[in-house]
């Protein structure tokens, strides 16, 4: 990263301090304070509120490549969890007054009320390019209305943070108790469908490693009844709910660390032939459970424009992705086949077992960037449970 001048420019009320010593000044907004984490970039043009509340972004500071973030304000519907999980965000342009009929709050006020820090006035494309070349760095984002910063202390904090590799964050963002979910998808003028689960539908137990609410809505929309259990739920605790199938959710952190307690449960589920569907971290954990390995990616995949090719018919889905780890396709066992491949870098984007009813994808079908290219996955999973019933 090029900028290393510690002298604060006039008017600077925010700063990003990277572990390599780079100091990037800007205008702070949202909450005051500082937060340390991994700095990653996201290419989506819309959906910043969903992105900020996605539990998969725990421990991360998001650099948005698209310059106009915050311009449609905020509302109570476009959230994927009760609270934001991303630590902060970096944007090119100052947040403007909201221009959207669904807005009920300025994005700056939303960040303040949720204790999240923003930094504007940054050359976000240059920062994106630096991350692409050098990898995702550790850093501290800080906001102080008076422009008072202790740069050496912030630098020490950035260098002292251990990084996401080896870090289990699923336990921190997961629900702490089981609960039922029966809300469906959103429609204009009506909002989210409530109490819409089919009472006679197959029962899906979703293991919450940091799941997004829209995944649950899509499972309900496909005809399932859903019960959510914590990330640390044991095999017996999962089976106590008498599931017809088990869903492995997305989530943050290193899959190998989460796998220490998650993989044994998944292996037991595979032994009894319980149908399994995994997304993102759930995909990685399924890979670990069958003997494959995962690795930390150089820059990760984060955006709503990622093309994925299906191995079966060659069709391409436009997908939403958000992951910094991946399953190594070269380590898949003989009883697993590749179902999807990223057309950006050839990395594994989906797998299916040939001797058990289990499959998974690395991307997020519920995020609907296609907009519905990948909804068939929920229908495929729930339909398989109905046939087995």
């Amino acid at each position: 990263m090029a900028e290393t001048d510690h002298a604060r420019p006039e008017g600077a009320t925010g700063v990003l301090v990277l572990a390599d010593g780079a100091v990037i000044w800007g205008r702070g907004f949202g909450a005051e304070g500082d937060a340390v984490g991994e700095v990653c970039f996201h290419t989506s043009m819309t959906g910043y509120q969903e992105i900020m509340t996605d539990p998969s972004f725990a421990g991360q500071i998001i650099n948005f490549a698209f310059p106009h973030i915050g311009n449609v304000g905020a509302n109570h519907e476009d959230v994927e969890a009760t609270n934001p999980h991303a630590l902060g965000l970096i944007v090119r342009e100052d947040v403007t007054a909201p221009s959207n009929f669904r807005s009920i709050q300025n994005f700056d006020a939303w960040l303040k009320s949720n204790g999240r820090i923003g930094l504007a006035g940054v050359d976000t494309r240059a920062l994106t390019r630096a991350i692409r070349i050098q990898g995702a760095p550790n850093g501290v984002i800080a906001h102080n209305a008076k422009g008072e910063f202790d740069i050496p202390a912030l630098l020490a904090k950035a260098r002292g943070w251990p990084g996401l590799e080896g870090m289990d964050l699923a336990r921190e963002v997961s629900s702490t108790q089981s609960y039922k979910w029966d809300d469906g998808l959103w429609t204009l003028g009506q909002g989210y469908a409530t109490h819409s689960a089919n009472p006679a539908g197959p029962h899906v137990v979703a293991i919450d490693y940091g799941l997004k609410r829209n995944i649950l809505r899509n499972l309900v929309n496909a005809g399932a009844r859903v019960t959510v259990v914590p990330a640390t739920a044991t095999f017996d605790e999962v089976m106590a709910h008498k599931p017809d199938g088990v869903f492995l959710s997305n989530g943050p952190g290193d899959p190998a660390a989460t796998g220490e307690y998650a993989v044994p449960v998944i292996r037991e589920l595979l032994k009894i032939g319980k149908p399994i569907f995994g997304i993102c971290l759930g995909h990685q954990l399924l890979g670990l459970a069958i003997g494959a390995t995962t690795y930390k990616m150089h820059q990760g995949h984060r955006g709503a424009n990622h093309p994925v090719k299906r191995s079966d018919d060659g069709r391409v889905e436009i997908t939403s992705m958000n992951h910094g780890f991946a399953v190594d396709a070269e380590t898949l066992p003989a009883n697993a086949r590749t179902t999807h491949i990223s057309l950006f870098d050839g990395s594994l984007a989906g797998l299916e077992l040939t001797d058990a009813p289990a499959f998974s994808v690395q991307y997020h079908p519920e995020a609907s960037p296609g907009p519905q290219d990948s909804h068939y996955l929920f229908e495929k999973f729930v339909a398989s449970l109905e046939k087995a019933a």
Side-chain angles (χ1 to χ4, degrees), residues 42-219:
H42 206 294
T43 61
S44 287
M45 298 171 64
T46 61
Y48 54 79
Q49 199 176 345
E50 291 94 334
I51 292 166
M52 290 297 294
T53 55
D54 181 351
S56 294
F57 276 115
Q60 293 180 304
I61 299 163
I62 305 171
N63 175 59
F64 281 96
F66 185 69
H68 304 294
I69 299 297
N71 55 342
V72 297
N75 57 60
H76 294 317
E77 293 183 321
D78 295 346
V79 295
E80 292 291 353
T82 304
N83 301 303
H85 288 279
L87 299 170
L89 73 159
I90 305 158
V91 298
R92 176 70 184 92
E93 303 293 340
D94 290 331
V95 174
T96 59
S99 179
N100 187 282
F101 73 99
R102 295 178 62 231
S103 174
I104 63 170
Q105 189 177 27
N106 186 287
F107 187 51
D108 175 64
W110 184 84
L111 289 170
K112 282 188 175 75
S113 64
N114 286 285
R116 292 299 183 264
I117 302 168
L119 180 65
V122 173
D123 187 344
T124 53
R125 293 193 177 189
L127 181 54
T128 295
R129 178 175 171 80
I131 294 172
R132 287 189 63 186
I133 295 171
Q134 301 173 29
N138 295 343
V140 175
I141 186 171
H143 172 205
N144 181 281
K146 296 180 180 179
E148 299 173 350
F149 301 99
D150 185 340
I151 298 301
L154 295 177
L155 178 58
K157 180 176 287 190
R159 289 177 172 170
W161 194 66
L164 291 178
E165 198 159 8
M167 188 176 290
D168 171 33
L169 292 175
R171 194 191 303 261
E172 296 181 17
V173 302
S174 174
S175 58
T176 57
Q177 58 187 10
S178 300
Y179 61 91
K180 302 287 185 181
W181 180 278
D182 61 1
D183 290 351
L185 297 178
W186 184 91
T187 54
L188 182 63
Q190 299 181 24
Y192 291 111
T194 58
H195 309 300
S196 60
N198 177 7
H203 187 205
V204 173
V205 169
I207 303 180
D208 176 12
Y209 304 114
L211 62 77
K212 296 169 65 179
R213 289 176 175 173
N214 216 41
I215 290 175
L216 302 178
R217 298 182 186 115
N218 274 276
L219 288 169

Side-chain angles (χ1 to χ4, degrees), residues 224-250:
R225 296 177 292 124
V226 180
T227 298
V228 180
V229 298
T232 54
T234 65
F235 171 75
D236 289 339
E237 288 170 340
V238 171
M239 294 305 297
H241 294 284
K242 300 180 180 179
D244 295 307
V246 176
F247 174 76
L248 311 176
S249 86
N250 63 293

